[in-house]
Amino acid sequence: MPELPEVETTRAGLAPHLEGRRVRSVLLRRPDLRWPIPPEVSERLPGQRIVAVRRRAKYLLFDTEAGSALLHLGMSGSLRVLPAKTPVREHDHVDLALDSGRVLRFNDPRRFGCLLWQEPGETHELLRDLGPEPLSEAFDGEHLFERSRGRSAPVKTFLMDQKIVVGVGNIYAAEALFAAGISPLRAAGKVSRERYAALAGEAKRILAHAIARGGTTLRDFIAPDGAPGYFEQELSAYGRGGKPCPRCGRPLKQAMVGQRASVWCGHCQR
DNA sequence: GAATGAACCTGGCGGC
DNA sequence: TGCCGCCAGGTTCATT
């Protein structure tokens, strides 16, 4: 289930194989992903040279002079660069054949991912209202404090709102709140400036560390080179409901917060 | 504007 | 062993 570190790991793994390469052809085996793949992808991408592989939030952008392919991995998507004759597996929905003789293959069992098109010089509407990147200077405690005033929703829901900050999903929200000692149930508008400073700092630290470790391997995530991520071994809260808190040893609580499974320590997180 | 909940899809897992 | 039903996940959209 790709979150920002997984998407960044994917981007970094793909870039050396794609940048400077020309797209020979596009094969759509199954165009009905989350949204239908628009005709521009198969009409305008062939023949184009990929000049950059970028990431914005959890979206990957493959830039060409004719426009950019915009890809979201959804919850189960993965991308691999493979020899052109590699046998197709179930759920291999899209192939981009490259002039290197290899193919960029998109596999997505649950089809929550998408492949869209962005015109040159434009910003796709899905990217327009996104919050700052969590590892940028624009994201800090002051940003969280200002945007949270008057909001009664749980701070975990607030932190996962992509308009507030991008790329923080269920796993890293749980981990950042644990590290900062903030209960996920606390109303976002009731968290102090000082505690938001701690939360922003922990979110940055955890995300940067997860990227360095190759993301989190949970069921579906595999990096483009086929290697699993190693961050899962270091999770303190996520997926550990009922197990001892790494700090105080008391059992971690588990409940739904904003429709999402949440784990926290009732003693260490207030 | 904010909060809430449904919907999308399917593999994995627990219970029977 | 096989079947059934629930759960998980990110994001959008509709409703309140």
Side-chain angles (χ1 to χ4, degrees), chain A residues 18-243:
Chain A
L18 302 186
E19 287 178 351
R21 291 294 173 192
R22 208 171 279 280
V23 178
R24 281 229 171 100
S25 60
V26 176
L27 174 60
L28 307 180
R29 289 189 194 82
R30 178 118 200 205
D32 56 328
L33 303 181
R34 180 185 180 89
W35 296 290
I37 296 173
E40 288 87 345
V41 171
S42 44
E43 290 172 3
R44 298 178 62 181
L45 207 46
Q48 290 295 317
R49 189 178 295 282
I50 297 172
V51 295
V53 180
R54 292 185 294 135
R55 178 188 60 75
R56 172 71 175 109
K58 296 175 191 172
Y59 293 90
L60 288 167
L61 291 114
F62 304 101
D63 291 337
T64 73
E65 284 188 0
S68 302
L70 180 68
L71 188 142
H72 196 294
L73 295 170
M75 295 196 301
S76 57
S78 62
L79 286 164
R80 296 210 197 190
V81 177
L82 302 162
K85 305 216 168 163
T86 304
V88 173
R89 298 175 307 172
E90 197 176 5
H91 311 303
D92 282 341
H93 303 314
V94 180
D95 278 3
L96 299 189
L98 306 168
D99 64 358
S100 59
R102 297 171 82 87
V103 58
L104 174 65
R105 185 161 286 171
F106 179 46
N107 180 286
D108 185 9
R110 298 178 207 177
R111 289 191 288 124
F112 271 27
C114 61
L115 176 57
L116 302 169
W117 187 256
Q118 177 175 279
E119 295 296 332
E122 292 186 5
T123 301
H124 196 282
E125 62 181 55
L126 289 172
L127 306 184
R128 268 180 213 148
D129 297 326
L130 295 175
E133 290 287 328
L135 296 177
S136 72
E137 288 187 6
F139 174 66
D140 58 14
E142 194 60 29
H143 170 75
L144 290 175
F145 181 76
E146 286 179 6
R147 293 296 304 270
S148 65
R149 293 310 90 182
R151 293 184 63 152
S152 59
V155 63
K156 179 163 180 265
T157 305
F158 171 72
L159 189 61
M160 290 172 62
D161 184 340
Q162 303 297 299
K163 294 190 182 71
I164 302 302
V165 57
V166 301
V168 182
N170 204 27
I171 299 172
Y172 296 103
E175 293 301 306
L177 286 164
F178 177 83
I182 300 171
S183 166
L185 302 175
R186 181 167 292 278
K190 299 290 184 186
V191 176
S192 69
R193 182 178 264 120
E194 290 73 23
R195 300 187 83 198
Y196 269 130
L199 180 59
E202 292 295 346
K204 284 175 187 279
R205 181 184 65 77
I206 290 167
L207 286 167
H209 183 59
I211 291 170
R213 299 283 281 160
T216 305
T217 294
L218 287 170
R219 286 201 196 122
D220 303 319
F221 179 68
I222 297 172
D225 60 359
Y230 294 100
F231 191 71
E232 184 182 13
Q233 300 156 19
E234 302 173 29
L235 296 176
S236 298
Y238 182 85
R240 299 191 65 248
K243 292 181 179 166

